[in-house]
């Protein structure tokens, strides 16, 4: 940590600051410049309150040098984490495609879609049983019944399932789910993060609409601080001023995260754009950017979907996306299984 | 709801769309223009999926005409809601100031600060027992013990208390709290919103960092749909590209919300800016904008505060803010009690 | 254009509004709903002031139905515009790569880089003679002398040149330049747009950091309204809250623009990210998204570059990018020439 | 400037970096920490390319310690700049109100509005002769003829005039204008900034929609580097995701700028919000935040205004705003003249 002290500050204040830092068990290295003096703090600075020091009259600026995340940090874990979900590997050279409907609606529907996406090449099944909806009057999902139907679909197809948990009180209902998804709106629901971290299951953690990549990794850190190792990060669009897409897909996040962390990163082009015909180009773009996987909404009858129909592909459209994705994978050194 | 249909679309597709709308129990009014045809949907359109219709080939655009919130809507409740907290009224012509430390740290600390802010003119006491922190390694608050200390401070000063609930599992511990705060990160934790809506207590709902005013009202609607009537909205800064303040305080939100809803609106200049010396000007600005109250961080010894020291005022600084705020209130037709 | 009138408005006000619209030469179609009345305006609504009508007491909302751009609109020009720059075609199935240094620094430098990028596969040469710099104390470019050196490099390599014009007063100096670039900061310098529109040359128009795609097309419309037809749009990142990249590259802009307009779209991954090692993944992502070309900064000695060194590739790194781009082009049905 | 070097970097690379810095005439102070080494650069670092150093393999981070603006910097000019416009002072304790129509439309209109705003208490007259419009098909202003009419209105009322210059080629036409306005879209039209800096006139510089406060000050620096001293900064809203207001008025900018610079700051609530009824609350909020003035759109007949009618007040509404503003000024220690 670096503290820039104002020029011509009172000696007593300066001495008191330096003493206070030393009391925290840190070493201080001093550089006197023309306009200011710079203090370099050496030691464990994780407990120094950067905002508090900024507020002191004699301080011009404080800057962190090291990142505040550890378990998720590539510096301390240089090798890629490869998450193994019943034999499907994700991360490193491995790529997977998670597909399925926005919501589980009936046994017939979820089994049909599961068969269709498996046929087209998807390797995991997604589907919402608990749905986060902006309006209390909108369809909130089938709940526990929806989880049962997802497990039926898994039985029929062999596809592992990925589905969202919204509340700690349902955590026991998710014991047979393969990957627990934490949605964008709950990215900083810290109590929920701690709870899912205790399950030991793979967690798919979606980036919040206004969260930085460092905050995403801090939320991964919450999960990992409870013992979990298998966190899959998911970029699904951030909020900007541009109105033509629901959110703005931040694909630079992929190579930036690859540099910061060893965890795998998947992209959700369906929720990011909110428009079915943007899913193909943004899926190919995601592969180009180096993503470790895709999560795509597919529906057997978009016109009748209970939610988010506009962003769902029909199975035949999904097949076309998969065919092009598969042509691209060798160029970026990615493969399945 | 308005649907704009493309010019020269196939008649069969057009007819199928119109039939489908009528099946939903809605009337359709048609205007044929030069470049497009406009369908006006009349009836209860809350269940029409706007995103789904947008996706149809023949549709150019779909636009909602009416807002999706009801209980919080000024159209249906033209009079200001005035929330009464043990005799302190907020909303309409009434103004209140909630003050106190970021975190409860000890009995001595919270009682001292409570006495100091009461002396300076604060009418409610705030203080965090459960703290949402970005890092799992940062101080997470005293928890239930902190709630007890807040109640001690209430006993000593008579100030009603406002404090944040982060998880459904602690809801019973909040039974003696006067106002339950829902933090910005939990604004769309829909399960938590429903639970606090059932308590019947006044709820202080903070706007999320990237949430629109309509989404804030939809979250208020979640709370009110469970029977609650006393929701106090709180603007505390939104996320933008400007780096000099922690967030960008959106004061236009005050008059805009006043137009959309009958609920009271308070401003948190401490968290919005993150800088103690900005609290005075932004408090006066908030009063000018028409806010119904302020929520301000005050600490007896900012240098030792366990969190957010940089944004806390000393009691004597808070007194100066209060004196100027009190001079301004008559100009905007606001008063205490 | 759609006007939503409030329920229970006074009849005299309503009649006066309808009369006023008819005075503008427009037809009005009326739908009476339960909560509001909707007026559909038919005719040339380009001169109706949407903001003005919104301000009337009886009006709840006004919404445009048709886009305000014409020459740039795909509806009126369904076929892709293919810009031909001395035989290099861009748009439709054609793809080009524009490469070169941030600034022209010397004859030796620009010729060397031009030879290197041509060797690696670039098909046009970029280089700044006039440089927009945030600070008045930073290097502002070689000016007219820089243009001469670019023409030397063109002579040596045969590569057409693309370079930025910042002021109307230099427009005559650009008569031998192949493509005039308008930078992001000048996207809404309307006088400059009109002037370059009169040259008849191809114009590369960069999106402003906070401009919507519709505003980008309105600026293209300014150029085209003076007679120009060959406008190449360029996405180069928008401003968001995320600090790890200089800007956030908005790749969804590619398929969205393809739907709105017939003009070609190129991506500038160097300026968007500001980081050399992000150029390769974001170039591949751009191809995946369907871009018609790339504009990439390449320097022979990044350590000595006078500006923007951090985002420039070395020629050998650029060669690697080109090799992978070329493998991807057939998958998205793109080719050179 | 601070350079953080990675732990365990090669000694030869490290030495080469240190040597290179010394070649630039700077001193280097070194602190060896556990995870990294920190270099403190002492001397004139304005010419060190921060982006270039960031790109070096062994460098983890580079951070500037001092601001890149000088003439506009409060550190070097601690006293407030007070701009005197024909006896109206702005800055320090002095406050002014600039009012008038969006566009000059006729002699009758501009003189009538000028008389009305003077009567209500405005101290300077605004009005657009050259109008920046998003669409080439919208009314672009009366041009030079409009300037003449403004001067007529000045003659009738004695109010100094403030009007926008959009292009260097019209600079001579502005010789009798009292304050030249540079619009938000031209904030980084660097050639224009240099030209107006040479006139010696007071310049009203509007913040761009996506520009940081530091960039605003860098643009002021462009003007001041040509000799001008009288720059008035203007906040007029920034672009965010919130759709209910045209822009988001960033009032924290006032106290933040007051800390960074000695230049006066005025607020434009009309353009920031785009809604007439928000002008009063946001004007009062601006005064509370400590602004040195307001710039407000007033029109004699908003229904017929050629542009931006929705945000213009009628003279009687403007009078109400002025009355409340005048009540507030003593509370924030501001006065006229």
């Amino acid at each position: 940590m670096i503290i820039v002290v104002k020029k011509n500050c009172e000696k007593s204040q300066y001495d008191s600051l330096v003493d206070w830092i030393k009391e925290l068990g840190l070493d201080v290295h001093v550089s006197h410049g023309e306009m200011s003096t710079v203090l370099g703090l050496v030691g464990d600075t994780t407990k120094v309150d950067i905002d508090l020091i900024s507020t002191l009259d004699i301080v011009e600026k404080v800057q962190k040098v090291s990142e505040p995340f550890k378990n998720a940090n590539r510096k301390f874990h240089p090798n890629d984490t490869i998450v193994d979900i019943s034999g499907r590997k994700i991360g490193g050279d491995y790529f997977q495609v998670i597909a399925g409907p926005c919501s589980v609606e009936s046994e017939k529907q979820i089994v049909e879609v599961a068969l269709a996406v498996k046929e087209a090449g998807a390797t995991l099944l997604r589907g919402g049983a608990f749905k986060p909806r902006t309006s209390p009057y909108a369809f909130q999902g089938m709940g526990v019944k929806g989880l049962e139907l997802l497990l039926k679909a898994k039985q029929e197809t062999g596809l592992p399932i990925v589905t969202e948990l919204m509340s700690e009180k349902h955590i026991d209902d998710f014991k047979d789910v393969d990957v627990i998804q934490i949605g964008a709106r709950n990215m900083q629901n810290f109590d929920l993060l701690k709870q899912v971290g205790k399950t030991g299951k793979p967690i798919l953690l979606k980036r919040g609409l206004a969260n930085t990549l460092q905050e995403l990794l801090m939320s991964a850190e919450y999960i990992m601080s409870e013992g979990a190792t298998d966190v899959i990060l998911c970029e699904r669009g951030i909020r900007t001023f541009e109105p033509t897409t629901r959110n703005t897909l931040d694909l630079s996040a992929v190579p930036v995260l690859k540099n910061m962390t060893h965890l795998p990163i998947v992209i959700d082009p369906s929720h990011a754009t909110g428009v079915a015909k943007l899913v193909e180009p943004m899926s190919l773009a995601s592969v180009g950017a180096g993503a470790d996987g895709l999560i795509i909404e597919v529906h057997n009858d978009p016109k009748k979907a209970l939610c988010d129909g506009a962003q769902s592909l029909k199975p035949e459209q999904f097949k076309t996306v998969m065919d092009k994705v598969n042509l691209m994978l060798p160029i970026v050194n990615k493969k399945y299984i």
Side-chain angles (χ1 to χ4, degrees), chain A:
Chain A
M1 186 176 290
I2 299 298
I3 301 176
V4 183
V5 180
K6 285 179 192 159
K7 191 187 159 187
N8 301 331
C9 72
E10 276 187 41
K11 192 162 179 324
S12 64
Q13 285 186 295
Y14 174 83
D15 289 344
S16 139
L17 173 62
V18 170
D19 288 349
W20 184 68
I21 295 164
K22 287 182 179 166
E23 273 173 40
L24 296 170
L26 301 167
D27 281 340
V28 182
H29 292 214
V30 182
S31 310
H32 289 289
E34 272 166 87
M35 289 304 299
S36 52
T37 293
V38 176
L39 307 181
L41 276 54
V42 181
D44 177 10
T45 58
T46 51
K47 284 179 187 155
V48 182
D49 182 346
I50 190 166
D51 287 331
L52 170 58
I53 296 177
S54 314
T55 202
L56 301 176
D57 282 346
I58 62 166
V59 169
E60 192 159 316
K61 211 186 286 203
V62 189
Q63 294 170 324
K64 282 232 163 179
V65 165
S66 54
E67 297 93 352
F69 50 100
K70 294 171 190 175
N71 292 309
N73 198 328
R74 190 178 279 278
K75 266 187 214 158
F76 304 115
H77 304 75
N79 296 326
D80 288 327
T81 283
I82 296 172
V83 177
D84 188 316
I85 307 152
S86 305
R88 275 82 174 169
K89 290 180 190 153
I90 188 159
D93 298 342
Y94 298 100
F95 187 90
Q96 302 298 332
V97 178
I98 306 163
C102 173
S103 296
V104 180
E105 294 168 25
S106 69
E107 180 173 340
K108 185 173 179 301
Q109 171 249 13
I110 188 66
V111 170
E112 273 184 23
V113 180
L115 288 167
V117 298
K118 184 186 181 186
E119 169 76 21
T123 53
L124 295 100
L125 176 66
R126 57 147 290 154
F130 295 90
K131 298 299 304 172
R133 303 300 305 273
T134 306
S135 168
Y137 312 120
F139 175 59
Q140 312 267 319
M142 295 182 77
V144 176
K145 177 74 189 161
L147 294 178
E148 288 165 20
L149 300 183
L150 277 169
L151 292 169
K152 279 255 170 68
K154 177 181 176 181
Q155 228 171 0
E156 296 283 330
T157 59
L159 294 179
I161 58 179
V162 181
T163 192
E164 179 167 350
L165 171 66
M166 287 176 61
S167 168
E168 297 169 62
K169 69 173 176 272
H170 290 297
I171 206 155
D172 292 338
D173 299 321
F174 278 64
K175 65 179 183 300
D176 296 322
V177 163
D178 298 279
V179 180
I180 299 178
Q181 176 178 316
I182 299 296
R185 293 173 183 82
N186 278 318
M187 193 200 92
Q188 293 193 317
N189 180 341
F190 300 121
D191 284 274
L192 186 60
L193 298 179
K194 286 182 202 166
Q195 288 305 314
V196 297
K198 287 177 183 150
T199 63
K201 283 185 184 291
I203 307 298
L204 182 87
L205 176 65
K206 291 198 158 189
R207 180 183 184 184
L209 268 78
N211 287 109
T212 62
L213 297 177
Q214 178 163 312
E215 286 169 344
L216 175 60
L217 291 177
M218 291 308 295
S219 288
E221 194 76 20
Y222 258 98
I223 297 170
M224 298 174 89
S225 72
E226 300 290 336
T229 55
D230 290 352
V231 178
I232 302 165
L233 306 170
C234 179
E235 157 66 25
R236 42 82 75 225
I238 57 174
R239 201 157 250 189
T240 70
F241 59 84
E242 173 58 44
T244 55
T245 42
R246 184 191 295 168
N247 300 119
T248 296
L249 185 60
D250 175 14
L251 282 181
S252 313
V254 178
V256 170
L257 283 171
K258 287 279 171 197
N259 198 42
M260 295 168 85
T261 186
H262 49 92
L263 298 171
I265 299 127
V266 302
I267 301 292
D268 179 344
S270 303
H271 284 85
T273 62
V275 182
K277 69 180 152 190
L278 299 185
V279 172
E280 177 180 313
M282 299 323 289
S283 293
L284 300 184
S286 303
V287 176
D292 299 305
L294 292 166
I295 175 161
I296 294 178
E297 273 193 26
V298 180
H299 204 282
N300 44 352
D301 182 1
K303 202 166 149 191
K304 292 226 182 92
L306 291 177
C307 75
D308 282 339
Q311 71 204 17
S312 288
L313 298 183
K314 288 179 213 161
E316 56 271 27
Q317 294 171 313
F318 174 63
K319 179 79 171 66
T320 310
V321 175
M322 286 299 294
D323 290 347
K324 294 193 182 176
V325 163
N326 292 341
L327 286 172
M328 276 188 63
L329 290 179
I331 301 175
V332 291
N333 298 313
K334 291 278 187 189
K335 60 187 176 194
Y336 292 99
I337 293 301

